[in-house]
Amino acid sequence: MKRDKAVLAVSFGTSHLETIQKTIGAIEEEIQEAFPEFEVYRAFTSEMIRRKLKKRDGLDVSNVKEAMERMRRDGIEDVIVQPTYVINGTEYDIMKKELAGYQGVFKSMRVGKPLLTCPQDYKEAAKAVLEENTLGPKEMLLLVGHGTEHHANAAYPTLEYMFHLLGHPQVLVGTVEGFPKLRDVLERLAVLKAERVVLMPFLIVAGDHVKNDMAGGEGSWESILKEAGYEVKTVIRGLGEVPGIRKLFVRHAKEA
């Protein structure tokens, strides 16, 4: 039976093939399970990643406009667009602008929210991460987010506050390109007299930022923390691999 309903899963994307299926693919699979009557389509919003995947691997991943046109040609009438973004930032704004051109093209088109949107999301995301980590005395969990100049960067300090509100003051959140920066985190670690740090990405995929900025060689968060005298355990695992995070995206799609 031909389906006339679809969920379009929109991700920034990654050129690291070994993490695509474990993260983005795993989220898409859970969406498919939750929406058995729907076709699930994929779109990546990073043109640089799309070009690299096509040139290097012969993988042709649609952007948002191409995916919308494909669904229209396939006779899809009802569309749910579910982004796998962490925050309501620049990428989400761009995606919504692109979708605006398709108002009226389909019988219905609804858009789901990014991971961290309302207080309940922060609580569920924090609990999902805590389920993955058991911390000992004088051990801190440091989550590394992307960060942005967009005002949505406030999501990262808010997330840290939620951990503390839930009774876990040993969790800190830093960002690669926003606030708090690594220097801010180092100040906190010194005040808290931490000895050991578990370094984990708060990014959907374990791609460039994880392998270079967080856990690479000289100049990475891992090496700077070690130089500062901390014992460091590094987790190379994107949020898409965390069951509770995938459930949150499914909930957002259902709410849409």
Side-chain angles (χ1 to χ4, degrees):
M1 190 182 77
K2 193 177 181 303
R3 298 166 176 165
D4 60 0
K5 298 175 182 176
V7 178
L8 172 60
V10 179
S11 304
F12 181 78
T14 178
S15 61
H16 294 258
L17 292 178
E18 74 284 357
T19 191
I20 288 180
Q21 195 48 41
K22 288 191 286 187
T23 55
I24 294 167
I27 294 167
E28 291 167 349
E29 280 170 15
E30 292 214 8
I31 288 172
Q32 183 66 82
E33 282 171 27
F35 293 86
E37 294 168 21
F38 286 63
E39 197 73 51
V40 176
Y41 290 73
R42 169 185 289 177
F44 283 1
T45 48
S46 168
E47 289 302 323
M48 189 177 73
I49 285 169
R50 289 179 62 248
R51 280 196 303 271
K52 189 171 182 178
L53 287 171
K54 189 165 189 179
K55 187 178 177 183
R56 188 191 66 194
D57 308 300
L59 259 181
D60 199 355
V61 183
S62 302
N63 59 26
V64 171
K65 287 182 178 176
E66 288 169 351
M68 297 302 276
E69 288 298 331
R70 197 172 134 221
M71 289 190 292
R72 187 176 59 78
R73 286 195 304 272
D74 290 348
I76 299 297
E77 294 181 356
D78 300 295
V79 178
I80 295 170
V81 180
Q82 179 54 53
T84 68
Y85 302 140
V86 172
I87 61 172
N88 291 260
T90 307
E91 292 294 321
Y92 186 61
D93 290 347
I94 292 168
M95 183 196 79
K96 283 196 296 183
K97 275 183 190 166
E98 289 182 335
L99 293 174
Y102 289 89
Q103 289 292 350
V105 170
F106 301 95
K107 195 190 286 182
S108 73
M109 182 175 71
R110 286 153 292 182
V111 184
K113 298 290 187 188
L115 186 72
L116 300 177
T117 301
C118 69
Q120 186 60 30
D121 297 339
Y122 287 87
K123 192 178 282 186
E124 284 183 33
K127 285 180 177 175
V129 169
L130 289 166
E131 280 170 16
E132 302 291 304
N133 296 280
T134 306
L135 299 171
K138 294 196 180 279
E139 190 170 46
M140 304 293 292
L141 172 62
L142 173 52
L143 298 174
V144 184
H146 189 281
T148 173
E149 290 180 2
H150 192 283
H151 60 80
N153 188 85
Y156 298 104
T158 304
L159 177 66
E160 184 180 297
Y161 179 72
M162 182 56 80
F163 278 105
H164 299 179
L165 209 59
L166 292 171
H168 298 275
Q170 73 276 47
V171 183
L172 299 178
V173 179
T175 67
V176 178
E177 294 181 13
F179 172 84
K181 294 193 181 301
L182 177 55
R183 64 169 177 265
D184 304 310
V185 173
L186 286 166
E187 286 175 12
R188 293 288 308 283
L189 288 170
V191 169
L192 294 162
K193 295 183 168 55
E195 291 176 6
R196 288 175 299 282
V197 177
V198 177
L199 203 51
M200 179 181 172
F202 199 80
L203 298 147
I204 299 303
V205 301
D208 280 334
H209 282 302
V210 173
K211 291 174 182 174
N212 300 323
D213 300 315
M214 189 186 102
E218 195 181 339
S220 70
W221 287 46
E222 183 181 35
S223 66
I224 291 167
L225 285 162
K226 283 178 178 174
E227 280 165 25
Y230 298 102
E231 194 182 305
V232 183
K233 177 188 167 191
T234 306
V235 179
I236 307 288
R237 194 166 181 232
L239 286 177
E241 296 179 61
V242 178
I245 297 293
R246 296 197 296 269
K247 282 192 183 77
L248 234 168
F249 282 121
V250 170
R251 173 165 71 73
H252 284 189
K254 283 180 175 175
E255 286 168 355

